[in-house]
Amino acid sequence: MSLFSRIRQWKRGAENLPEELAAHMEALRQERLELGDTPEEAARYARLKIGNLTAVQESVHEASAQGHAETMFRHFRLAFRNFARHRRAYGSAIVILALGIGMSTAMYSLVDTVLLRPLPFPNQDAIQVIWKADPVAGKHIGELAYPELADLQTHVPEYQFVALLPTTVYGYGKVIQIGEAEPFQVESAPVSHDFFRVLGIDPVLGRGFEARDESEGAAPVIVLSDSLWRQHFSANPAVVGTQIRVNGEGHTIIGVLAPGAAFPRDVDLWVPLGRNPRMMTNRAAVYLQAIARLRPGANAELARNQVEMLFHLQITDHPGIYSQTQRAVVTPLPAYWTGSAGLHLWVMLAASVLLLLAAAVTAGNLFLSRTLARQQEIATRAALGASRFQLLLQFTLEGIAAGTLAAVGGLAVAYAAIRALVYVAPADIPRLEQAALHPEAFALATAVALAAAILCSVLPGMVVIRASLERSLREGGNRSGSSRMGARAQNLFVFAQAAVTVALLVLSVLLVSTYRSMMQTDLGFANEGTVTMNLALRGLGPSVDEKQRDDFYATLLQRLREAPGVQAAGAVLVRPLQGPIGWDVAYEFEHESGTREARDLPKSQYQVVTPGYFETIGTAITGRDFSAHDRDDTEPVAIISKALASRLEAAGHAPIGHRIRLKNGQAVWRKIVGIAADARYRGITQDGLDVYVPHRQAAQQTNYLMIRGNLPEETLVQIVRREVAKADPRQAIADPATLAQLVDRDAARHRFNMVLLLWFGACALILSAAGVSSAIAESVAVRSKEISIKATLGAPRPRLVSELIRSSLLFVLAGEVLGLCGAVALARLGQDLLYGVKPYDPFVLGIVFVFLLMISATAALIPAWGAASRDPKLALSAS
Amino acid sequence: MTPSDESKRLEILQGTLNMMILQVLLPDSANGYEIAKCIEQRSDELLQVDHGSLYPALRRLEARGLVEAEWRVSPTNRRARYYALTAEGRQQIAAEHSRWCALVDAITRVMRPA
């Protein structure tokens, strides 16, 4: 018989039970009537014999499967009724658990999307990004030159494919014009021909690059990103093979990539790198990085060593070119891809796990208190015949019910949190926008919460039940019996919470301190309202000389300065805070000339600027600014930053009037005419040395236009657009942003982290205070008689209070010490996120320590003081 | 029935009700009343059956598939639920019967006057 039909039959039987019993009674009555009883006597006999009909029906019902289900249901109803009655305690426990589940699920979902989910490149761990580091030259990354591609291919047999691409994306913007439509600018990446083979991807349409595309005089070809193809080519598969104008020159589209497969990020166009034979043979033209794929079965560590050896060999093979101290930096692509976003997210995940733990501990504490407070109810139910099993079942179901409610809430919180986080998170965290709820993470967080809820309901429940069954109602509701265990458990909770809270608070205060330092840093750009934009001149063709380019800028800037409302305008090679990598140059001062080999020279950031640039962005200068008279036929000049100047001063030379030589092609001695304030070009937290040369004396072109005026940002951009169109309609500007916005972008990750951690820290603090308070309240309730007696006997109130709170505060202290250790350890791991503050900053640690202790003391004092101030007579008579 | 009769009556040993129900049903199916009566009569009215407690026991046996039930008309012309042993029930009573005999035998030996 199937279970189902059995249950059905059962149900039928149960329904017909009254009839069956009636038949039985009738038979009994008949029997007595036949023996000669009166009808009344017979009826009475029958009733006696069969017993209480309702009881019979009930016991039959309970034996049935449906009966089991109904019992469970009744218990659940009881649980919910219990929650409703003690709305505050259970409500807050459930809300706290829901928050913990939600936040940790949300954070894990983000971490998974950004860090753990594989990139769209097959066998991603076999891909490595390679550049150099040189401790002598400074902290800048060492770049590679085109001839090193062959070096890597021959000397690193572990690599199957190697390709080159520039270390920076910016500066390779291209203006595209399709038919007669208005030209627009996109970022491009020049790559060597094995690039897509290194990534392991084939274009979904057409083909990738071949060696022949890289030769001099090869027909110009391009590969499009999926988004560019969709936006500007209406996803038309027939575009492959057609020609479009890129920088004014006809290019053939040979392929379209799959969606999401764009590398480097935000690049929409790939072009062959090696089209200039001079660059391809020049070992000094360092601006590239390599990306390589290990051959199947290759050893990543071995490959790293081979690269290291190669870079050593280079020093002897090409004397005078490579620094003696150059080292290899080999990064797996996944780590390179996420960069510092990874560290940020891991810290946040750790923080949210701490929060989940804090939530579980708090909720457990609240459940424990409630259970202890219900001792009398349990005793009453036990006395009324509830079995031990039934009572335990009751506690278990309460735990499950609470955990379930919390899970439902947590799901909602997680959804909302993911939405909110994706919305407020800085845009430069890769793939973040794809984040969605991670079901496994949710299941795990829910399991933790459920376990906490059930454990903290059932364990104290068991103790309470045992105590109740043993002594029943004898003690008249005094809960001293099981409360010792309860107090111990609560103190442990208090300890754990203090530890977690201190850790979270220390981390958040460190981040706040970092952010404050960042905001207080003098960036060297005073005019935050200055609007900056990319205006790299495109499409003038290689035949156009530097002079024409410089004239274009000079004329444009002059017109802009004359426009009403514009106060200043200038241009620069790479604008401030554009990214962590810029243009570096080796330099030497006249006084040290010849003392060092060229390869061992220190490096400085290199900037090409127009006259008026410093005034536009608000960098102070002593000496003089460049002027229109600094031309290629006048004396070469330079402006150096204060930090660089102080090196000269330290060597006993007056900077202004001294001469400096830059090793980038035009190795001329330049007279230093001015000293600019130190500026942070690579990032708010990165100081460095800067050297500036006038645009008419440099081979490099200015790429970014700066304009300042008392007009709104959009109007200034409109003015530039108008003037650019007048000067050359083939040009397009891109990515306008004020300096303030650039600063904001750079600080966005830190701010994001800080705000989240502060929020977590505040939650933990509230939870912790609530935990201490409830532990004290519990111990006050248990000891009310003792307190009253002591108070009657004249014990001073402060002593009573201190007796009550002492032990809990000791646990807080112990927890704080543990938490501090944990926080310092965590902060050391995440040291890269800190700026202007040490992970073990005693001031921060001290402040947090004292702060939490004060909050805990306050939370403890409130119930303790209340208890000590109560009229002892009232308390005594109440019990 | 006299009060002295009443005092001689025995409570049913825990766990034996199921066995006795199965035994009663061995020759023929019966309804609840008949089962109770049969137990009382066979024990010479010494065993006192709480007629009400019969029903949870019957339901349990039914759930375990040892008995099955159907509605029939009783000799007194009323509709009543008749219980009959299933094949499983027959096996069960055979097993319980021999276990019971062994138990009684053992206890009797223990209780033999020394």
Side-chain angles (χ1 to χ4, degrees):
Chain A
M1 202 189 319
S2 81
L3 184 69
F4 182 65
S5 59
R6 198 178 275 185
I7 289 172
R8 262 223 324 242
Q9 192 192 332
W10 264 71
K11 222 176 141 175
R12 218 170 36 236
E15 276 162 10
N16 289 328
L17 188 67
E19 187 184 351
E20 199 178 352
L21 289 174
H24 194 132
M25 279 182 80
E26 180 57 28
L28 284 168
R29 221 163 55 83
Q30 206 65 42
E31 174 196 329
R32 294 309 292 184
L33 284 175
E34 277 165 24
L35 286 175
D37 277 9
T38 61
E40 291 78 29
E41 280 172 336
R44 193 175 147 266
Y45 173 80
R47 272 203 305 276
L48 258 173
K49 204 70 185 157
I50 207 145
N52 182 341
L53 275 182
T54 323
V56 171
Q57 286 185 24
E58 203 137 281
S59 59
V60 165
H61 185 71
E62 247 171 46
S64 73
Q66 192 199 4
H68 279 306
E70 273 178 24
T71 314
M72 294 286 264
F73 179 72
R74 219 174 36 233
H75 276 100
F76 268 119
R77 227 176 37 201
L78 249 168
F80 285 115
R81 203 187 302 158
N82 184 33
F83 292 164
R85 195 164 340 123
H86 304 286
R87 232 167 283 131
R88 259 182 52 202
Y90 287 107
S92 44
I94 291 165
V95 166
I96 286 165
L97 274 181
L99 273 178
I101 296 176
M103 287 313 290
S104 50
T105 306
M107 281 319 299
Y108 187 81
S109 304
L110 297 198
V111 167
D112 177 70
T113 312
V114 176
L115 301 176
L116 306 179
R117 198 184 297 166
L119 302 174
F121 311 121
N123 198 5
Q124 55 170 354
D125 293 313
I127 309 176
Q128 299 184 330
V129 181
I130 303 143
W131 64 83
K132 295 178 184 176
D134 189 349
V136 169
K139 43 191 152 181
H140 309 300
I141 76 163
E143 295 159 317
L144 309 180
Y146 200 91
E148 292 175 71
L149 176 60
D151 293 357
L152 285 165
Q153 282 165 338
T154 45
H155 288 89
V156 189
E158 293 298 282
Y159 286 149
Q160 184 178 17
F161 298 111
V162 188
L164 294 175
L165 71 159
T167 48
T168 58
V169 172
Y170 45 89
Y172 301 97
K174 302 266 184 203
V175 174
I176 294 184
Q177 195 166 14
I178 308 164
E180 289 312 306
E182 190 174 330
F184 58 93
Q185 209 184 106
V186 295
E187 291 298 346
S188 82
V191 296
S192 66
H193 62 271
D194 275 330
F195 181 73
F196 295 121
R197 278 178 277 274
V198 169
L199 293 181
I201 50 174
D202 280 320
V204 284
L205 285 177
R207 63 171 177 94
F209 297 126
E210 299 296 340
R212 63 175 190 272
D213 298 321
E214 263 199 298
S215 56
E216 191 193 5
V221 291
I222 51 172
V223 170
L224 308 181
S225 77
D226 178 75
S227 61
L228 182 64
W229 178 57
R230 283 178 198 282
Q231 268 176 36
H232 292 281
F233 298 90
S234 345
N236 177 7
V239 296
V240 173
T242 61
Q243 282 232 337
I244 58 167
R245 258 177 296 153
V246 177
N247 284 5
E249 200 186 344
H251 282 63
T252 308
I253 300 172
I254 57 165
V256 177
L257 289 192
F263 176 81
R265 287 177 63 216
D266 303 330
V267 163
D268 278 314
L269 199 65
W270 289 264
V271 298
L273 170 67
R275 305 210 41 212
N276 175 348
R278 245 180 52 213
M279 182 277 289
M280 288 167 78
T281 50
N282 182 2
R283 285 195 177 265
V286 286
Y287 67 107
L288 303 169
Q289 58 188 333
I291 178 167
R293 174 175 284 270
L294 295 167
R295 58 178 75 256
N299 180 334
E301 208 42 50
L302 182 60
R304 188 189 300 268
N305 290 339
Q306 287 172 346
V307 174
E308 192 74 70
M309 253 166 57
L310 163 68
F311 288 172
H312 257 288
L313 275 178
Q314 284 181 336
I315 301 168
T316 45
D317 285 359
H318 307 278
I321 295 206
Y322 295 106
S323 156
Q324 302 280 359
T325 47
Q326 70 172 9
R327 287 191 302 103
V329 179
V330 179
T331 318
L333 183 65
Y336 174 86
W337 183 278
T338 45
S340 76
L343 189 55
H344 282 259
L345 284 177
W346 283 118
V347 167
M348 294 321 301
L349 183 63
S352 62
V353 168
L354 284 179
L355 188 66
L356 176 63
L357 286 183
V361 167
T362 310
N365 197 351
L366 284 167
F367 278 118
L368 178 66
S369 305
R370 278 308 329 146
T371 309
L372 293 177
R374 281 164 66 192
Q375 198 152 355
Q376 232 179 331
E377 174 202 332
I378 304 304
T380 313
R381 288 188 57 197
L384 290 179
S387 74
R388 207 183 138 81
F389 171 77
Q390 273 178 326
L391 288 174
L392 265 188
L393 183 71
Q394 174 70 35
F395 280 116
T396 314
L397 291 180
E398 275 179 23
I400 293 175
T404 312
L405 284 179
V408 172
L411 194 63
V413 171
Y415 263 115
I418 291 174
R419 285 268 172 103
L421 288 173
V422 170
Y423 183 74
V424 302
D428 63 340
I429 297 183
R431 299 199 288 179
L432 188 70
E433 67 287 348
Q434 302 164 15
L437 188 85
H438 192 267
E440 284 98 326
F442 176 70
L444 189 69
T446 302
V448 170
L450 257 180
I454 294 175
L455 268 182
C456 292
S457 312
V458 171
L459 286 185
M462 271 162 74
V463 177
V464 166
I465 290 168
R466 205 176 56 207
S468 302
L469 292 185
E470 275 165 11
R471 287 171 301 135
S472 199
L473 298 168
R474 244 183 308 160
E475 287 191 28
N478 184 331
R479 23 174 153 139
S480 64
S482 48
S483 57
R484 198 168 318 136
M485 168 268 181
R488 223 175 296 149
Q490 281 199 315
N491 277 336
L492 276 182
F493 284 153
V494 164
F495 168 80
Q497 264 180 336
V500 168
T501 308
V502 160
L504 279 174
L505 283 181
V506 166
L507 290 180
S508 48
V509 173
L510 284 175
L511 284 192
V512 170
S513 182
T514 295
Y515 189 69
R516 229 191 53 181
S517 304
M518 287 175 79
M519 290 298 101
Q520 285 175 351
T521 297
D522 179 10
L523 298 177
F525 325 112
N527 299 328
E528 295 222 309
T530 298
V531 181
T532 70
M533 64 206 82
N534 184 338
L535 174 58
L537 296 183
R538 320 291 180 198
L540 297 176
S543 58
V544 176
D545 60 15
E546 289 162 22
K547 190 169 176 315
Q548 271 174 289
R549 224 175 46 205
D550 293 338
D551 285 344
F552 173 88
Y553 258 105
T555 321
L556 176 67
L557 289 176
Q558 195 49 45
R559 283 202 198 141
L560 287 176
R561 287 185 196 120
E562 283 161 8
V566 175
Q567 288 157 346
V572 64
L573 176 61
V574 179
R575 71 177 164 192
L577 304 174
Q578 176 64 22
I581 300 171
W583 201 301
D584 289 329
V585 67
Y587 69 90
E588 78 183 315
F589 289 120
E590 194 171 24
H591 75 89
E592 56 186 9
S593 164
T595 55
R596 266 186 270 195
E597 294 274 347
R599 55 172 194 239
D600 293 332
L601 289 176
K603 284 187 173 179
S604 159
Q605 160 165 259
Y606 175 70
Q607 284 288 21
V608 176
V609 303
T610 63
Y613 166 76
F614 293 107
E615 187 207 333
T616 313
I617 65 165
T619 300
I621 308 183
T622 53
R624 72 162 174 95
D625 187 8
F626 299 131
S627 73
H629 302 294
D630 296 314
R631 298 189 307 266
D632 51 356
D633 54 352
T634 61
E635 184 188 20
V637 292
I639 290 176
I640 60 175
S641 68
K642 215 159 174 237
L644 201 49
S646 64
R647 295 197 170 190
L648 262 181
E649 281 161 358
H653 297 274
I656 295 207
H658 202 81
R659 296 208 295 171
I660 186 171
R661 182 156 66 176
L662 307 179
K663 295 287 187 178
N664 61 345
Q666 329 112 289
V668 294
W669 287 104
R670 297 175 179 274
K671 189 170 127 194
I672 296 167
V673 294
I675 300 170
D678 286 326
R680 304 272 168 122
Y681 276 89
R682 306 285 167 92
I684 298 173
T685 59
Q686 278 197 47
D687 52 2
L689 308 169
D690 311 305
V691 54
Y692 304 87
V693 301
H695 72 136
R696 284 186 186 277
Q697 294 180 355
Q700 294 75 23
Q701 68 165 335
T702 49
N703 282 324
Y704 288 88
L705 188 83
M706 320 295 235
I707 184 168
R708 181 163 62 83
N710 48 15
L711 296 170
E713 184 196 341
E714 299 77 36
T715 319
L716 287 172
V717 174
Q718 278 314 317
I719 291 174
V720 175
R721 248 188 245 283
R722 201 181 61 216
E723 292 300 330
V724 167
K726 265 193 230 163
D728 182 350
R730 292 168 302 174
Q731 304 302 335
I733 61 169
D735 195 16
T738 64
L739 276 179
Q741 285 165 345
L742 293 175
V743 172
D744 198 62
R745 272 188 216 170
D746 195 63
R749 270 187 199 178
H750 285 272
R751 193 176 44 239
F752 175 62
N753 259 16
M754 176 188 72
V755 169
L756 269 188
L757 255 184
L758 269 180
W759 163 238
F760 285 5
C763 287
L765 186 67
I766 293 169
L767 295 185
S768 178
V772 173
S773 184
S774 92
I776 300 285
E778 182 62 27
S779 99
V780 163
V782 171
R783 294 163 64 182
S784 70
K785 208 185 283 183
E786 174 202 330
I787 297 165
S788 310
I789 292 171
K790 282 186 178 164
T792 322
L793 295 180
R797 206 188 287 172
R799 214 186 75 205
L800 280 178
V801 169
S802 89
E803 257 176 37
L804 277 172
I805 67 176
R806 200 168 40 205
S807 80
S808 289
L809 286 188
L810 278 177
F811 277 91
V812 169
L813 274 176
E816 284 202 69
V817 171
L818 180 72
L820 283 185
C821 299
V824 171
L826 264 178
R828 288 180 84 107
L829 282 179
Q831 190 152 19
D832 288 354
L833 300 187
L834 302 182
Y835 169 68
V837 62
K838 295 261 181 303
Y840 45 82
D841 187 305
F843 183 66
V844 170
L845 298 186
I847 286 252
V848 169
F849 193 91
V850 172
F851 179 62
L852 180 59
L853 194 62
M854 272 168 52
I855 293 285
S856 304
T858 314
L861 269 176
I862 294 168
W865 191 262
S869 319
R870 234 179 345 170
D871 184 353
K873 261 178 277 165
L874 274 179
L876 279 176
S877 63
S879 62
Chain B
M1 206 185 294
T2 61
S4 66
D5 277 350
E6 199 75 39
S7 63
K8 267 191 230 158
R9 298 197 117 186
L10 300 170
E11 289 280 330
I12 289 180
L13 268 180
Q14 200 155 25
T16 56
L17 181 61
N18 284 357
M19 181 178 73
M20 287 191 287
I21 293 173
L22 293 179
Q23 181 69 29
V24 166
L25 291 177
L26 200 51
D28 199 2
S29 59
N31 62 32
Y33 169 76
E34 289 166 353
I35 295 171
K37 273 288 146 203
C38 185
I39 293 175
E40 285 173 353
Q41 280 165 9
R42 284 213 205 167
S43 70
D44 294 332
E45 307 283 337
L46 281 176
L47 282 179
Q48 175 174 352
V49 179
D50 174 0
H51 288 223
S53 71
L54 211 53
Y55 286 91
L58 280 168
R59 286 297 194 274
R60 263 191 289 272
L61 290 173
E62 206 179 342
R64 285 165 60 194
L66 299 180
V67 303
E68 51 195 9
E70 60 173 339
W71 287 93
R72 271 195 254 147
V73 177
S74 72
T76 53
N77 243 348
R78 288 189 66 103
R79 240 166 68 88
R81 207 150 179 263
Y82 274 79
Y83 296 86
L85 284 184
T86 62
E88 247 178 288
R90 281 177 199 285
Q91 276 175 15
Q92 178 74 15
I93 186 57
E96 282 194 27
H97 193 269
S98 53
R99 204 179 317 131
W100 175 250
C101 289
L103 181 69
V104 170
D105 193 33
I107 294 177
T108 314
R109 281 181 216 204
V110 172
M111 300 305 287
R112 211 167 26 204

